[in-house]
Amino acid sequence: MSSPDITLCFLQASRSIRIAWLLEELSLHYSSIFFPRENNTAPADFRSRSGNNLGKAPSLTDGQFVINESGAITEYLIEKYDKDGKLMGGKDEAVRNKVRMFIHAAEGTLMVHCLAITYARWFAPESVQKSGELKELEKGLAVNVGKDLDWLNSELEGKKFLAGDHVTAADTMVLFSIQFIFARDLVGGRKVSEWKNVEKWIKDCEATESWKKAVEKTGHKM
Ligand SMILES: N[C@@H](CCC(=O)N[C@@H](CS)C(=O)NCC(=O)O)C(=O)O
């Protein structure tokens, strides 16, 4: 196979870091194009340069292909370049099933729950913000986020990473969701120290050489 021609369109403080971390784990050579945020959103040229018509990050090109959606990019990269299936958890079917579940839970459960709060903050009318009703709404919405963290904490019992002793796509997908929750205070003011296994796992993920390289190469900052 000729060497891949991979470019990651990287938006600051975004899910793009999931893909940079995965690319580092796979030891793939890639270029990263950095886009700063403008008023919280992707800049106008992101859409045209990335080939993502929705204007959302991350977006990846590999030769003739443009792939969007962090979960789909993850599956694409693993299918194509992770021939021994290490990032999917190896040969054990139960572990692979777990990794697949986390790949989807990262967006389909974790981000859904915490983004409900982000969107309420962004879009609630001023009257709701000022009346204290937003705080009440946030409190209700944060219950789901707290339950997600309880679940993750129990999944991590006795494990260094989500699927065992090495990084898999479960970690590369889920870490951003969890960092986002605490960086944006989306669990009712509760601190990560309440979830000891999650707290340790975040540190272990951030201590991997692959994570550090991904951050250095892309310029990622929450
Ligand atoms: N489900 C998509 C979500 C993509 C998404 O919403 N990305 C955000 C950044 S984390 C974005 O591009 N925001 C900029 C904007 O909406 O302008 C994925 O997992 O890739």
Side-chain angles (χ1 to χ4, degrees), residues 64-85:
Q64 72 200 86
F65 299 118
V66 179
I67 327 270
N68 303 313
E69 284 291 329
S70 57
I73 299 170
T74 294
E75 289 188 13
Y76 168 81
L77 288 173
I78 287 175
E79 206 175 292
K80 189 147 180 181
Y81 298 110
D82 183 22
K83 291 301 176 202
D84 57 5

Side-chain angles (χ1 to χ4, degrees), residues 11-16 18 37-38 40-43 46-47 52 54-59 68-73 107 111 115 119 122 173 176 180:
L11 176 67
Q12 181 58 293
S14 83
R15 293 155 169 98
S16 307
R18 290 172 171 164
R37 285 187 180 254
E38 282 171 14
N40 258 331
T41 61
F46 182 86
R47 193 180 299 249
N52 181 338
L54 193 59
K56 301 285 182 192
S59 181
N68 303 313
E69 284 291 329
S70 57
I73 299 170
E107 278 299 291
M111 290 308 286
L115 280 173
Y119 292 146
W122 285 357
M173 279 297 291
F176 174 83
F180 185 77

Side-chain angles (χ1 to χ4, degrees), residues 47-61:
R47 193 180 299 249
S48 50
R49 290 189 67 191
S50 68
N52 181 338
N53 291 335
L54 193 59
K56 301 285 182 192
S59 181
L60 181 113
T61 56

Side-chain angles (χ1 to χ4, degrees), residues 164-202:
D165 59 4
H166 68 85
V167 170
T168 65
D171 307 287
T172 61
M173 279 297 291
V174 170
L175 182 65
F176 174 83
S177 315
I178 302 305
Q179 291 169 324
F180 185 77
I181 291 170
F182 291 106
R184 304 286 183 267
D185 189 15
L186 299 173
V187 61
R190 296 167 70 186
K191 302 287 174 234
V192 67
S193 53
E194 275 193 47
W195 295 276
K196 291 289 176 216
N197 295 336
V198 173
E199 186 179 33
K200 178 171 181 307
W201 167 76
I202 294 172

Side-chain angles (χ1 to χ4, degrees), residues 195-212:
W195 295 276
K196 291 289 176 216
N197 295 336
V198 173
E199 186 179 33
K200 178 171 181 307
W201 167 76
I202 294 172
K203 284 192 187 133
D204 285 339
C205 289
E206 290 176 349
T208 59
E209 284 310 309
S210 52
W211 167 264
K212 287 191 252 179

